[in-house]
Amino acid sequence: MSKRFNLTALASKMARSSWQLYLSFILGGLVLLIFSLVSLYRAQSNHMLSHSKSLMCADLGISALNVMIGRDTSLSRFKWDTSNVSSPFTADQIVSIVERNLSDIDLLSEDRFYFYTDNKEVVFSAIFSHTSDMYLIEGLLKSFLESPKFSQIDRKKLLNSLPCIAAEYNDNSSGSPIGLSAFHSDLGNSAFIWVQKGTPSLKIAIPVHISENIILLMTNIIGVTILLMLVLIWKGLLSLEQKRKTFRDFTREIAKGNAEVPKNLSDDGTLEELAGSFDSMSLHIQRLLRVQRDMINAISHELRTPIARLRFGLESLKDDVNDNNLPAIDGLEGDVEELNTLVDEVLTYGKLEEGGLTLHFTKVDIDDVISSIVENNESLLSNFDIEIEIDPKQSLVLADAHHLHRALQNLILNASKYAKSRLKISFDCDDVSCKIDIEDDGPGIAFEDRDKVFIPFQRLDNSRTRASGGYGLGLAIVQKIAFWHGGAVLIDGSSLGGAKFSFIWSKNYHKKDVS
């Protein structure tokens, strides 16, 4: 059971699939862009929050150092209560107080911070002030570093006791001015260089810590988004490839002249506008061919009755006319026979064109077939020198005996119409195919006209057709018979000076029913 393949509907689905692929590109890109922007925004927000937290911690820690060594804290964003501070602290005491009070402090949830001694007595406290948006870390740090109370080693030790400060000696400070210089290190961390005569320079950084979980989350989100987009694109490309193959198969069926396509052909396609034109064109051509075929077949069948009547009438007239009129009667009988041959060829070509006949492949002796054709057409071939080259050891082939006989007879008689005096018939066979060459010493066929001789009712405007007559169906029938045998008919120049027709068919083509 077959169904007509609706190419217009097929192509509509293909167009939708194409748009789905484009949409996958667009949506995938938009999703990736949105996720990237959200991730970047989250990263920037976390970086700013971490940076602000680091500056707040640095302000609190450096200001606490200044409080404990009796330096100015007016630049701090914290308001300090130092009423319990009686005298400056030693370096070891400062380190102890800082590590005890700043190691686990939560800067974001508290506004007041207390600093305790070893005896858990409050030494001083600080309240965060929201009146200013600026952290003046450089001024606070400079106030601490300019204190003459501690050496450079002690300064480094005290700064490193703060959880948000990293201090180290710097060997690359040559050329830096005396005093404190600010700069930005890698990743945007705030950093300072302290240069003092007679002591190693000190590099002081305020690291900004970004959570590794946030970075991993951002990377995973972007990676998953890219992967999903690639999967969607891959699926779309596979779908398009399948539809391309479907459209290719369908166009091949059109090229073969098939109006119907098997159900197992996927109901997908492409190019909606072109497909619609194909669909309309295919239906129109099928309708015209069907009308033409039906009309020719009907006319051909209907002609058989009047032809039979004419033949019977002419035969009856022979008994009633004198001998002087007999040549005219014989001429009329020849015309009727010619008309009957034309009808027979039209019907034969129509069956071959439709594929509405059954071929029976059997063992056929080519030598016997050629000999039979020459013998049956002795009256037409007796005036020619016929050269036959057939190896009896290779003469057995697999073919439909009736139609092979018909094809070879058409070729031989066609050659005899144009030959001057010689015909040559040769046969060759290998493991794949068999070939029969039929050559004549006539005028030959021009290269540009060789394809035209197989067109039904086609008559070339040269001496080959004008002198010979014919209906233009004989070679068309030969070509169809070769096609149904899995072969073809080729035309070339002959060594005798005329044309060479090569009838080729496959040895392994065992198709019983061509319908």
Side-chain angles (χ1 to χ4, degrees):
M1 183 84 179
S2 298
K3 64 173 184 177
R4 192 177 73 77
F5 199 67
N6 192 331
L7 190 57
T8 304
L10 171 152
S12 299
K13 295 182 179 180
M14 181 53 150
R16 288 195 298 271
S17 298
S18 299
W19 277 110
Q20 287 174 1
L21 180 59
Y22 300 145
L23 193 61
S24 298
F25 273 107
I26 295 172
L27 290 179
L30 286 176
V31 170
L32 180 60
L33 179 62
I34 292 172
F35 269 119
S36 299
L37 291 176
V38 170
S39 301
L40 289 174
Y41 176 77
R42 289 278 306 274
Q44 184 181 20
S45 299
N46 279 278
H47 180 77
M48 293 178 64
L49 180 62
S50 180
H51 184 62
S52 178
K53 184 177 178 181
S54 297
L55 292 177
M56 185 177 180
C57 176
D59 187 327
L60 181 63
I62 297 172
S63 297
L65 294 179
N66 283 333
V67 168
M68 287 185 281
I69 63 175
R71 303 292 291 180
D72 181 34
T73 59
S74 60
L75 298 178
S76 175
R77 289 192 63 179
F78 292 86
K79 296 181 178 180
W80 294 88
D81 180 5
T82 59
S83 56
N84 293 331
V85 178
S86 58
S87 61
F89 298 84
T90 63
D92 291 337
Q93 290 175 327
I94 294 174
V95 170
S96 176
I97 292 174
V98 167
E99 290 179 346
R100 178 181 298 107
N101 294 279
L102 293 182
S103 58
D104 297 323
I105 194 170
D106 187 358
L107 295 172
L108 299 179
S109 62
E110 299 180 18
D111 284 334
R112 177 178 287 275
F113 304 93
Y114 297 92
F115 290 81
Y116 301 90
T117 62
D118 293 340
N119 299 325
K120 296 186 179 181
E121 296 178 356
V122 177
V123 182
F124 54 90
S125 63
I127 299 175
F128 185 73
S129 173
H130 298 274
T131 57
S132 175
D133 294 330
M134 297 292 293
Y135 288 95
L136 304 177
I137 304 298
E138 184 176 359
L140 292 170
L141 190 58
K142 186 177 181 181
S143 177
F144 168 75
L145 293 171
E146 288 179 346
S147 172
K149 183 176 181 180
F150 298 108
S151 64
Q152 194 78 318
I153 295 176
D154 289 334
R155 293 190 187 101
K156 179 175 177 293
K157 179 181 177 181
L158 292 172
L159 289 172
N160 281 328
S161 67
L162 301 176
C164 48
I165 298 291
E168 60 183 1
Y169 294 121
N170 185 34
D171 297 329
N172 299 321
S173 61
S174 59
S176 299
I178 301 297
L180 187 66
S181 303
F183 70 96
H184 287 283
S185 65
D186 297 339
L187 300 177
N189 296 336
S190 299
F192 305 89
I193 293 290
W194 170 254
V195 180
Q196 190 176 26
K197 285 184 179 181
T199 61
S201 61
L202 198 61
K203 178 182 177 182
I204 306 157
I206 306 175
V208 178
H209 300 286
I210 301 178
S211 173
E212 293 183 359
N213 292 331
I214 296 296
I215 298 175
L216 183 62
L217 177 62
M218 291 179 352
T219 305
N220 289 339
I221 289 175
I222 295 175
V224 169
T225 305
I226 294 175
L227 182 61
L228 288 175
M229 188 173 69
L230 290 176
V231 168
L232 290 174
I233 294 171
W234 176 70
K235 290 183 65 177
L237 291 176
L238 283 182
S239 177
L240 282 179
E241 177 63 15
Q242 180 60 40
K243 294 174 178 69
R244 183 194 67 80
K245 291 179 179 179
T246 300
F247 194 75
R248 178 200 62 192
D249 294 341
F250 179 73
T251 52
R252 285 179 179 176
E253 293 297 325
I254 289 180
K256 293 177 183 178
N258 295 337
E260 295 182 342
V261 183
K263 279 186 176 181
N264 59 3
L265 194 61
S266 177
D267 193 18
D268 288 312
T270 185
L271 304 176
E272 183 172 3
E273 186 175 350
L274 178 61
S277 300
F278 261 118
D279 206 24
S280 300
M281 179 185 68
S282 176
L283 290 173
H284 187 60
I285 292 175
Q286 292 168 32
R287 184 168 57 253
L288 291 177
L289 290 175
R290 190 182 304 109
V291 170
Q292 182 189 48
R293 190 180 301 119
D294 293 343
M295 182 180 66
I296 292 176
N297 289 340
I299 292 174
S300 299
H301 280 290
E302 293 299 326
L303 281 175
R304 287 190 178 276
T305 300
I307 288 173
R309 290 175 182 170
L310 286 172
R311 183 181 293 168
F312 178 77
L314 290 172
E315 189 68 29
S316 300
L317 283 176
K318 286 184 178 180
D319 299 331
D320 299 329
V321 299
N322 55 42
D323 293 342
N324 295 330
N325 293 327
L326 284 178
I329 298 296
D330 291 338
L332 290 174
E333 284 184 334
D335 292 338
V336 171
E337 187 61 33
E338 188 175 341
L339 183 59
N340 187 63
T341 303
L342 173 60
V343 170
D344 181 60
E345 289 195 351
V346 169
L347 291 175
T348 300
Y349 181 79
K351 290 180 179 179
L352 290 170
E353 179 71 22
E354 292 179 8
L357 55 85
T358 301
L359 298 184
H360 300 282
F361 288 82
T362 59
K363 295 256 184 188
V364 180
D365 192 323
I366 292 296
D367 194 12
D368 291 344
V369 172
I370 298 299
S371 299
S372 173
I373 292 172
V374 173
E375 182 180 346
N376 294 337
N377 296 278
E378 184 179 1
S379 60
L380 298 175
L381 303 175
S382 58
N383 297 327
F384 296 97
D385 178 16
I386 302 177
E387 179 183 353
I388 300 176
E389 296 180 356
I390 298 177
D391 185 356
K393 296 179 181 179
Q394 293 184 331
S395 61
L396 278 179
V397 298
L398 191 65
D400 181 275
H402 172 72
H403 290 94
L404 182 63
H405 184 282
R406 176 71 177 269
L408 296 181
Q409 177 173 273
N410 283 8
L411 288 175
I412 293 173
L413 295 181
N414 179 74
S416 70
K417 293 178 182 179
Y418 310 109
K420 297 176 182 177
S421 61
R422 296 179 61 195
L423 294 176
K424 181 179 179 181
I425 303 171
S426 56
F427 173 72
D428 185 35
C429 208
D430 56 28
D431 295 335
V432 178
S433 62
C434 296
K435 180 177 73 168
I436 295 180
D437 293 331
I438 299 173
E439 306 177 53
D440 64 67
D441 60 349
I445 303 177
F447 180 80
E448 61 272 14
D449 291 333
R450 290 176 181 175
D451 289 336
K452 297 178 183 178
V453 299
F454 298 109
I455 302 175
F457 304 106
Q458 179 72 37
R459 299 178 62 85
L460 303 183
D461 190 18
N462 57 35
S463 59
R464 286 187 67 92
T465 56
R466 288 181 175 177
S468 61
Y471 314 110
L473 279 175
L475 294 179
I477 291 173
V478 171
Q479 187 186 52
K480 288 297 179 182
I481 292 175
F483 173 77
W484 292 123
H485 278 76
V489 183
L490 305 179
I491 304 177
D492 203 352
S494 170
S495 59
L496 301 181
K500 179 174 77 171
F501 284 80
S502 298
F503 185 91
I504 306 171
W505 74 97
S506 171
K507 287 187 67 175
N508 303 316
Y509 195 81
H510 299 166
K511 193 174 182 182
K512 299 296 182 181
D513 187 357
V514 301
S515 58

